[in-house]
């Protein structure tokens, strides 16, 4: 999902004009998880009414349109307009008056929830969210991987932006309005922030030729799924929007690591040799390992797995640019702060799934 995830356009165009008086709102209508689906839910209103109507929250300001410019000074985002979203107050409930408003209200409410989750766990500093941008229907003419944003959304590290595209085929609620999607993408911002200047992580942004970078990219996708499931306890949240097209993203399905993907974490490639590398594939596999460990740990298992994954993430952010890093090193770092009982459970999963490669696990000996 870092590369892309998505948004939807359900109603008419975003309205323009002045913000109407909307006094007395205590709740807001948004998309959220309802049983096994996404549906409409009344959420407590913890963002100022006028902020929601103007596409703004303590974390971000939404801009409609705009573009990214690639030049000698790097990549810069520019343009776009601030939306004025139609809404009304009905018996204390802030009701969006079209599909765009419903989508954007949902996005902002879930972004607030996700950012608070990361802050409460001390996985991020409030400054990380102070200047987060969100850009809807962004057109990037010189970046091939961003040309088609239908059914997609993503976090773009160079400009610290959420990029949100329109919905066309996804069967669920608007993807930008999906709680798990929002949590997943925000997780990427948290991950990138752990990379010190000149570190392996910072040098790996956009690099798929180094095995270490492919491992980090895949790991980040799995971590974002895991963390989103910690914010909204749903190990199959991706299926809510993509159905059978995302069946492999159900973390409850423990998956082995195919030999070609294992080799992809061990050997560097020549320039452009892995243009088709998709980090979501190994990410889904590794997320299923972590989920299985959490299940074995019992009632607090998910919390412990998330804590161990965060220690691993910080350790990886401190690696030097020339350090070797693959799936075996990733598993070793996951075990660094584990108790003896946790290590025994995790090692059983890692050894079974890694096969002969598990001989390199120094903390499982």
């Amino acid at each position: 999902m870092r590369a892309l995830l998505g948004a939807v356009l359900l109603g008419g165009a975003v309205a323009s004009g002045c913000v109407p008086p909307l006094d007395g709102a205590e709740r807001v209508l948004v998309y959220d998880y309802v049983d096994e689906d996404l549906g409409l839910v009344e959420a407590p209103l913890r963002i100022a009414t006028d902020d929601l109507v103007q596409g703004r929250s303590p974390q971000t300001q939404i801009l409609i349109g705009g573009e990214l410019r690639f030049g000698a000074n790097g990549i810069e985002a520019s343009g776009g307009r601030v939306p004025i979203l139609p809404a009304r107050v009905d018996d204390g409930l802030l009701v969006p008056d079209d599909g765009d408003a419903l989508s954007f209200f949902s996005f902002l409410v879930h972004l607030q929830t996700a950012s608070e989750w990361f802050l409460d766990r001390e996985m991020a500093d409030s400054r990380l969210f102070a200047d987060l941008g969100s850009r809807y229907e962004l057109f990037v003419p010189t970046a091939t991987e961003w040309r088609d944003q239908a059914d997609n959304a993503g976090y773009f590290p160079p400009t610290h932006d959420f990029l949100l595209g329109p919905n066309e085929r996804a069967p669920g609620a608007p993807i930008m309005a999906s709680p798990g999607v929002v949590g997943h993408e925000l997780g990427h911002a948290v991950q990138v922030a752990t990379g010190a200047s000149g570190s392996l992580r910072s040098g790996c942004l956009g690099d798929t030729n180094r095995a270490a970078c492919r491992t980090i990219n895949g790991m980040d996708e799995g971590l974002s799924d895991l963390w989103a499931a910690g914010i909204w306890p749903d190990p199959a949240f991706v299926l809510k929007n993509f159905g059978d097209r995302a069946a492999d993203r159900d973390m409850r399905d423990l998956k082995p690591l195919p030999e070609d993907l294992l080799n992809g974490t061990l050997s560097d490639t020549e320039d452009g040799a892995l243009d088709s590398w998709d980090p979501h594939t190994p990410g889904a596999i590794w997320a299923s390992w972590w989920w299985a460990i959490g299940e074995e740990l019992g009632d607090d298992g998910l919390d412990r797995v998330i804590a161990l994954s965060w220690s691993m993430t910080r350790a990886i952010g401190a690696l030097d640019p020339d350090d070797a890093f693959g799936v075996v090193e990733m598993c070793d770092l996951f075990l660094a702060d584990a108790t003896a009982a946790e290590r025994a459970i995790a090692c059983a999963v890692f050894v079974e799934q890694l096969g002969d490669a598990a001989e390199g696990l120094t903390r499982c000996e």
Side-chain angles (χ1 to χ4, degrees), residues 169-325:
R169 301 176 302 275
I175 297 171
M176 72 177 298
S178 170
V181 169
V182 176
H184 175 107
E185 299 301 347
L186 196 62
H188 286 316
V190 173
Q191 293 153 9
V192 170
T194 65
S197 176
S199 66
L200 173 65
R201 174 180 280 284
S202 64
C204 276
L205 291 175
D207 187 347
T208 59
N209 293 316
R210 287 194 63 187
C213 298
R214 293 194 296 272
T215 305
I216 288 175
N217 293 340
M219 178 195 70
D220 285 353
E221 294 300 338
L223 287 173
S224 277
D225 278 359
L226 179 73
W227 295 346
I231 305 170
W232 292 279
D234 185 348
F237 70 88
V238 183
L239 279 68
K240 299 292 193 297
N241 286 99
F242 293 96
D244 292 341
R245 290 190 293 156
D248 63 337
R249 298 285 289 277
D250 188 336
M251 283 178 275
R252 295 169 297 186
D253 177 20
L254 182 61
K255 308 169 188 68
L257 186 66
E259 185 175 354
D260 61 331
L261 290 179
L262 174 61
N263 291 338
T265 76
L266 300 176
S267 303
D268 292 350
T269 60
E270 296 178 359
D271 289 349
L274 274 177
D275 287 342
S276 62
W277 171 261
D278 181 0
H280 300 90
T281 302
I285 293 169
W286 297 331
S288 77
W289 297 2
W290 300 323
W291 186 266
I293 293 167
E295 290 284 278
E296 286 294 317
L297 289 176
D299 292 342
D300 297 324
L302 180 57
D303 283 340
R304 281 300 300 152
V305 164
I306 289 171
L308 293 172
S309 74
W310 176 235
S311 295
M312 173 186 70
T313 305
R314 286 183 297 160
I316 292 166
L319 292 176
D320 291 331
D322 295 329
D323 286 344
F325 182 70

Side-chain angles (χ1 to χ4, degrees), residues 84-125:
I84 301 295
L85 302 168
R88 55 192 164 82
V89 176
D90 184 2
D91 193 24
L93 177 67
L94 181 65
V95 180
D97 270 342
D98 69 7
D100 288 328
L102 176 59
S103 295
F104 286 123
F105 285 4
S106 302
F107 170 72
L108 293 170
V109 167
H110 300 324
L111 189 62
Q112 175 98 357
T113 299
S115 63
E116 289 173 351
W117 186 87
F118 285 112
L119 291 170
D120 288 345
R121 287 177 168 267
E122 298 184 344
M123 295 171 70
D125 186 286

